[in-house]
Amino acid sequence: MPMNQAPTNATPGTAEGPSRRPGLRLGLFAPFVLLVLLALAWTAGWFWLRGRAEAEIDGWFAREAQAGRQWTCTDRSLAGYPFRFELRCATLGFARSDVRFTVGPVVAVAQVYQPRHVIVEATGPFRVQQDALAADVTWSGLEASLHVTGDGFQRASLVVDGLKGTVSGADPSPIDFATGHLELHARPTPGRFATDGAVDLSARVMRASLPLLDPVLGGTEPADLALDATVTRAAGFRTRPLAQELERWRTAGGTVEIASLAAEKGSRRLRAQGVLALDEQHRPAGQLDVRTAGLEQVIAPLISEQLGARLGGDGAALVGNIVGQFLGGRRKEPAPGPDAQDRPGDPPLKVLPTVRLTGGRVVVGPFAVPNVRLAPLY
């Protein structure tokens, strides 16, 4: 081969072979470099959002304080990097002129990609005081969920297990209560929220115990409750004092439309539906269609007690017999809905006369329940 003739094929170690290797190596490392840059950008964005969230929380606390509502979050921290935000309070406190409470620890969590959906977990005890009344409440598990949009809340839920509490300062005092499981759900009523501020409520209470009422209801068995209702004019509720909130709601024409109320305590059952409101004296008012099983023995003595006493011995027996037949002899009419269907072996539900709440009295058909007065709520 002549000395001045170039080789026809490049071989390893020549100038042409190694010239492509730096480019290949950069291509291998490019995904890792991009990943590092993305992680740095995500970290910077997360800490920027964290700073914004801290400023919003401080601003909200300041606005609440100016309105006379003092919130405290002891040992506050905001963590959760990289994919969520976790607001932690060793104790969450609230104080206003009429009420104060403390609860904790409390953790509120929101995902970075879904910041308007907040899940809250709280550990008891919960202590609340209003005037002379005070309550101490504990539970084994509590979780709340709030999903909001630009137009307001979309759904709110509360689930509590192993709830126990005591209310002191009432007459009689103390009042003990307990619940095995409790669920509360609220959402804007489709098609009605924009027009009359309606909110749908659903509540389920399992194994509830209130010993104060056991002698009246004739048994110590725990009770199960289920309520589905719609509250109108509820869109304007804020964290104002309760009396102001209720008065605003009353003057706006707010009502509670009970679609279904079901209660069971041992062999005693009750189903009801109707509409309730507040009268000008701030007392419950409205009427309910009620069906019961096993409660005639409770209701009849209440009605006949005072009327019979006015007539004397034989008159009392006569009135009691008439009232018992009037309440117990009504025809069976199952309430609508799956919770109201009779189960095999259960006594049939019987229709009671319309129950009216009027003038601070409870009226069953033509009979006003004696010794029962509905006090103003505020």
Side-chain angles (χ1 to χ4, degrees):
M1 179 185 300
M3 294 297 294
N4 60 352
Q5 183 176 354
T8 57
N9 296 315
T11 59
T14 62
E16 185 177 351
S19 65
R20 290 195 296 264
R21 289 183 180 176
L24 291 173
R25 290 173 181 172
L26 288 177
L28 291 175
F29 287 108
F32 299 99
V33 173
L34 292 176
L35 183 61
V36 171
L37 293 176
L38 179 61
L40 291 175
W42 182 273
T43 301
W46 186 91
F47 278 97
W48 180 79
L49 290 174
R50 178 181 180 274
R52 288 285 304 273
E54 289 274 14
E56 288 292 333
I57 294 171
D58 291 336
W60 185 79
F61 279 171
R63 291 190 296 271
E64 286 289 288
Q66 291 178 355
R69 300 180 290 267
Q70 188 70 43
W71 292 86
T72 56
C73 175
T74 59
D75 298 333
R76 190 178 84 186
S77 65
L78 188 58
Y81 176 83
F83 299 118
R84 61 182 184 177
F85 294 105
E86 294 180 1
L87 175 64
R88 294 180 176 271
C89 301
T91 302
L92 180 65
F94 174 79
R96 197 173 55 193
S97 59
D98 61 326
V99 65
R100 63 181 65 241
F101 71 76
T102 58
V103 62
V106 177
V107 181
V109 178
Q111 303 295 334
V112 172
Y113 53 85
Q114 203 174 16
R116 294 181 180 271
H117 185 195
V118 181
I119 296 176
V120 179
E121 295 182 355
T123 303
F126 173 76
R127 295 187 174 93
V128 59
Q129 183 173 1
Q130 182 173 13
D131 299 329
L133 295 177
D136 289 275
V137 185
T138 61
W139 53 81
S140 59
L142 183 151
E143 184 175 293
S145 173
L146 177 64
H147 195 177
V148 299
T149 63
D151 299 329
F153 90 98
Q154 188 178 60
R155 185 178 180 88
S157 299
L158 173 68
V159 178
V160 187
D161 289 314
L163 183 70
K164 296 181 180 179
T166 300
V167 178
S168 58
D171 185 21
S173 178
I175 300 175
D176 297 322
F177 62 90
T179 295
H181 180 79
L182 179 147
E183 290 188 22
L184 297 174
H185 305 279
R187 66 165 188 174
T189 304
R192 297 183 59 186
F193 185 74
T195 57
D196 59 2
V199 174
D200 289 338
L201 298 179
S202 179
R204 299 293 184 270
V205 181
M206 308 298 293
R207 303 181 302 281
S209 174
L210 186 61
L212 179 67
L213 295 181
D214 287 343
V216 178
L217 298 178
T220 60
E221 307 92 338
D224 295 338
L225 306 173
L227 171 67
D228 293 305
T230 298
V231 181
T232 63
R233 307 301 177 188
F237 276 113
R238 297 293 185 268
T239 53
R240 295 183 289 260
L242 181 61
Q244 295 181 16
E245 293 287 3
L246 289 176
E247 182 62 13
R248 181 211 63 81
W249 178 72
R250 185 191 70 82
T251 56
T255 60
V256 180
E257 303 171 0
I258 300 176
S260 174
L261 170 63
E264 296 188 8
K265 183 177 174 65
S267 61
R268 295 163 293 280
R269 295 181 295 143
L270 178 145
R271 306 288 186 266
Q273 58 186 26
V275 179
L276 299 177
L278 293 175
D279 63 17
E280 294 183 355
Q281 302 299 319
H282 311 152
R283 299 167 302 195
Q287 69 177 39
L288 297 169
D289 296 323
V290 181
R291 289 156 288 271
T292 67
L295 285 173
E296 298 83 359
Q297 298 85 354
V298 177
I299 299 174
L302 291 176
I303 296 176
S304 62
E305 176 184 356
Q306 189 173 19
L307 297 176
R310 296 178 180 177
L311 299 177
D314 293 339
L318 177 62
V319 169
N321 186 39
I322 293 174
V323 172
Q325 291 183 3
F326 184 66
L327 296 178
R330 307 284 289 184
R331 66 184 178 87
K332 173 188 173 183
E333 182 178 324
D339 288 336
Q341 298 302 319
D342 290 343
R343 297 172 301 189
D346 283 339
L349 293 171
K350 298 177 181 179
V351 179
L352 290 184
T354 300
V355 178
R356 293 178 293 117
L357 280 60
T358 177
R361 303 295 300 271
V362 178
V363 181
V364 182
F367 302 105
V369 179
N371 303 323
V372 175
R373 296 291 187 274
L374 301 177
L377 298 183
Y378 56 98

